[in-house]
Structures are given as C-alpha cells and as structure tokens.
Coordinates of all heavy atoms in Angstrom, one line a residue:
V79 N -57.6 9.8 127.5 CA -57.7 11.3 127.3 C -58.2 12.0 128.6 O -59.1 11.4 129.1 CB -58.7 11.6 126.2 CG1 -58.9 13.0 125.9 CG2 -58.4 11.0 124.8
L80 N -57.4 12.9 128.9 CA -57.9 13.7 130.1 C -58.7 14.8 129.6 O -58.2 15.6 128.7 CB -56.7 14.2 130.9 CG -55.8 13.0 131.6 CD1 -54.5 13.8 132.1 CD2 -56.5 12.4 132.5
L81 N -59.8 15.1 130.1 CA -60.8 16.1 129.7 C -61.0 17.1 130.8 O -61.5 16.6 131.9 CB -62.0 15.4 129.1 CG -63.2 16.3 128.5 CD1 -62.5 17.2 127.4 CD2 -64.2 15.5 128.1
Y82 N -61.0 18.3 130.6 CA -61.2 19.4 131.6 C -62.1 20.4 131.0 O -61.9 20.8 129.8 CB -60.0 20.0 132.1 CG -60.2 21.1 133.1 CD1 -60.3 20.7 134.4 CD2 -60.3 22.4 132.8 CE1 -60.6 21.8 135.5 CE2 -60.5 23.4 133.7 CZ -60.6 23.0 135.1 OH -60.9 24.0 136.0
P83 N -63.2 20.9 131.5 CA -63.6 20.5 132.9 C -64.5 19.2 132.8 O -65.1 18.9 131.8 CB -64.4 21.7 133.3 CG -65.0 22.2 132.2 CD -63.9 22.0 131.1
E84 N -64.7 18.6 133.9 CA -65.5 17.3 134.0 C -66.9 17.6 133.7 O -67.6 16.8 133.1 CB -65.4 16.8 135.4 CG -66.0 15.4 135.8 CD -67.4 15.7 136.1 OE1 -67.8 16.7 136.8 OE2 -68.3 14.8 135.8
T85 N -67.4 18.9 133.9 CA -68.8 19.1 133.6 C -69.1 19.1 132.1 O -70.1 18.7 131.8 CB -69.1 20.6 134.2 OG1 -68.1 21.4 133.7 CG2 -69.1 20.6 135.7
Y86 N -68.1 19.4 131.3 CA -68.2 19.3 130.0 C -68.5 17.9 129.6 O -69.5 17.7 128.7 CB -67.0 19.9 129.1 CG -67.2 19.7 127.7 CD1 -67.9 20.5 126.9 CD2 -66.6 18.4 127.0 CE1 -68.1 20.4 125.6 CE2 -66.9 18.2 125.7 CZ -67.6 19.3 124.9 OH -67.8 19.0 123.6
A87 N -67.7 16.9 130.1 CA -68.0 15.5 129.7 C -69.4 15.1 130.1 O -70.1 14.5 129.5 CB -66.9 14.6 130.5
R88 N -69.8 15.5 131.4 CA -71.1 15.1 132.0 C -72.2 15.7 131.1 O -73.2 15.0 130.6 CB -71.1 15.6 133.3 CG -72.4 15.0 134.1 CD -72.4 15.4 135.5 NE -71.3 16.0 136.2 CZ -71.2 17.2 136.6 NH1 -72.4 17.9 136.5 NH2 -70.1 17.6 137.2
N89 N -72.2 17.0 130.8 CA -73.1 17.7 129.9 C -73.2 17.2 128.6 O -74.2 17.5 127.9 CB -72.9 19.2 129.9 CG -73.0 19.7 131.3 OD1 -73.7 19.2 132.2 ND2 -72.4 21.0 131.5
N90 N -72.2 16.5 128.0 CA -72.3 16.2 126.6 C -72.1 14.6 126.5 O -71.8 13.9 125.5 CB -71.0 16.6 125.8 CG -71.2 18.1 125.6 OD1 -71.9 18.5 124.7 ND2 -70.6 19.0 126.5
A91 N -72.7 13.8 127.6 CA -72.7 12.4 127.7 C -71.4 11.6 127.2 O -71.5 10.7 126.4 CB -73.9 11.9 126.8
I92 N -70.4 12.2 127.6 CA -69.0 11.6 127.3 C -68.6 10.8 128.5 O -68.5 11.2 129.6 CB -67.9 12.6 127.1 CG1 -68.4 13.5 125.7 CG2 -66.7 12.0 126.9 CD1 -67.5 14.5 125.5
A93 N -68.6 9.5 128.4 CA -68.2 8.5 129.4 C -66.8 8.8 130.0 O -65.9 9.1 129.2 CB -68.4 7.1 129.0
S94 N -66.6 8.6 131.3 CA -65.3 8.7 131.9 C -65.2 7.5 132.9 O -66.1 7.2 133.7 CB -65.3 10.1 132.6 OG -66.1 10.2 133.6
E95 N -64.0 7.0 133.0 CA -63.6 6.0 134.0 C -63.2 6.5 135.3 O -63.5 5.9 136.2 CB -62.6 5.1 133.3 CG -63.0 4.3 132.0 CD -61.8 3.4 131.5 OE1 -60.9 3.2 132.3 OE2 -61.9 3.1 130.3
K96 N -62.5 7.6 135.3 CA -61.9 8.1 136.5 C -62.0 9.6 136.6 O -62.0 10.2 135.6 CB -60.4 7.7 136.6 CG -60.1 6.2 136.6 CD -58.6 6.0 136.7 CE -58.3 4.5 136.6 NZ -56.9 4.3 136.7
Q97 N -61.8 10.1 137.7 CA -61.7 11.6 137.9 C -60.4 11.8 138.6 O -60.1 11.1 139.5 CB -62.8 12.1 138.6 CG -64.1 12.3 137.9 CD -65.2 13.0 138.8 OE1 -65.1 13.3 139.8 NE2 -66.2 13.4 138.0
Y98 N -59.6 12.8 138.3 CA -58.3 13.1 138.8 C -58.5 14.5 139.4 O -59.2 15.4 138.9 CB -57.2 13.2 137.7 CG -56.8 11.7 137.4 CD1 -57.5 11.2 136.1 CD2 -55.9 10.9 138.0 CE1 -57.1 10.0 135.7 CE2 -55.7 9.7 137.7 CZ -56.3 9.2 136.5 OH -56.0 7.9 136.0
T99 N -57.7 14.8 140.4 CA -57.7 16.2 140.9 C -56.2 16.6 140.7 O -55.3 15.9 141.0 CB -57.8 16.2 142.5 OG1 -59.2 15.7 142.7 CG2 -57.7 17.6 143.1
L100 N -56.1 17.8 140.1 CA -54.8 18.4 139.9 C -54.4 19.2 141.2 O -55.1 20.0 141.7 CB -54.9 19.4 138.7 CG -53.6 20.2 138.4 CD1 -52.4 19.3 137.9 CD2 -53.9 21.3 137.4
W101 N -53.2 18.7 141.6 CA -52.7 19.4 142.9 C -51.4 20.0 142.5 O -50.5 19.3 141.9 CB -52.5 18.4 144.0 CG -52.0 18.8 145.2 CD1 -52.4 19.8 145.9 CD2 -50.7 18.3 146.0 NE1 -51.7 20.0 147.1 CE2 -50.7 19.1 147.1 CE3 -49.9 17.3 145.7 CZ2 -49.7 18.8 148.0 CZ3 -48.9 17.0 146.7 CH2 -48.8 17.8 147.8
V102 N -51.2 21.2 142.8 CA -50.0 22.0 142.5 C -49.3 22.4 143.7 O -49.9 22.9 144.6 CB -50.4 23.3 141.5 CG1 -49.1 24.0 141.2 CG2 -51.1 22.8 140.4
L103 N -48.1 22.2 143.8 CA -47.3 22.5 144.9 C -46.2 23.3 144.6 O -45.3 23.0 143.8 CB -46.7 21.2 145.6 CG -45.7 21.4 146.7 CD1 -46.4 22.1 148.0 CD2 -45.1 20.1 147.2
D104 N -46.2 24.6 145.0 CA -45.2 25.6 144.6 C -44.0 25.4 145.6 O -44.2 25.9 146.9 CB -45.7 27.0 144.7 CG -44.8 28.0 144.1 OD1 -43.5 27.8 144.1 OD2 -45.3 29.1 143.8
L105 N -42.9 25.0 145.3 CA -41.9 24.6 146.1 C -41.1 25.8 146.7 O -40.4 25.7 147.7 CB -40.9 23.7 145.5 CG -41.5 22.3 145.2 CD1 -40.4 21.4 144.5 CD2 -41.9 21.5 146.4
Q106 N -41.4 27.0 146.2 CA -40.6 28.2 146.8 C -41.1 28.5 148.1 O -40.4 29.2 148.9 CB -40.9 29.3 145.8 CG -42.3 30.0 145.9 CD -42.5 31.2 145.1 OE1 -41.5 31.9 144.9 NE2 -43.7 31.6 144.7
Y107 N -42.2 27.9 148.6 CA -42.7 28.2 150.0 C -42.3 27.1 151.0 O -42.6 27.1 152.2 CB -44.2 28.4 150.1 CG -44.5 29.6 149.2 CD1 -45.2 29.3 148.0 CD2 -44.1 30.9 149.6 CE1 -45.5 30.5 147.3 CE2 -44.5 32.0 148.9 CZ -45.2 31.8 147.7 OH -45.6 32.8 146.9
L108 N -41.6 26.0 150.5 CA -41.3 24.8 151.2 C -40.4 25.0 152.4 O -40.6 24.7 153.6 CB -40.8 23.7 150.4 CG -40.9 22.3 150.9 CD1 -42.3 22.0 151.1 CD2 -40.3 21.3 149.7
D109 N -39.4 25.9 152.2 CA -38.4 26.2 153.4 C -39.2 26.9 154.5 O -39.0 26.6 155.7 CB -37.3 27.0 152.9 CG -36.2 26.3 152.0 OD1 -36.3 25.1 152.0 OD2 -35.5 26.9 151.3
H110 N -40.1 27.9 154.1 CA -40.8 28.5 155.2 C -41.8 27.6 155.9 O -41.9 27.6 157.3 CB -41.6 29.6 154.6 CG -40.9 30.6 153.9 ND1 -40.0 31.5 154.6 CD2 -40.8 31.1 152.6 CE1 -39.4 32.3 153.8 NE2 -39.8 32.1 152.6
Y111 N -42.4 26.5 155.2 CA -43.3 25.7 155.9 C -42.4 24.8 156.8 O -42.8 24.5 157.9 CB -43.9 24.8 154.8 CG -44.7 23.7 155.4 CD1 -45.9 23.9 156.1 CD2 -44.3 22.3 155.1 CE1 -46.7 22.8 156.5 CE2 -45.0 21.2 155.7 CZ -46.1 21.6 156.4 OH -46.9 20.5 156.9

C-alpha cells in the first residue's frame, strides 16, 4: 500500500518499508529544454 502523506503514517505508528518520491515530468517542455 502506498500511503500519502508519509507524516500520517509516522504520526499514527503505521510501519513503512520504503519511501518513494513522486517525480512528474511534463513533456510539453522537453523540446525547449
């Protein structure tokens, strides 16, 4: 289960194995880059 925000898990003593970072790439700017 992915749970967001991580602070909710921490504040409610819900164990987590990993933390992920969501990275969003808007490709409409790729040609300019």
Side-chain angles (χ1 to χ4, degrees):
V79 177
L80 298 174
L81 181 61
Y82 179 85
E84 182 272 333
T85 54
Y86 176 84
R88 191 174 350 112
N89 294 341
N90 288 278
I92 299 173
S94 63
E95 292 179 21
K96 298 178 184 178
Q97 285 186 352
Y98 292 93
T99 300
L100 176 63
W101 182 53
V102 177
L103 176 62
D104 190 341
L105 296 178
Q106 73 176 333
Y107 302 108
L108 203 55
D109 288 343
H110 299 295
Y111 173 70

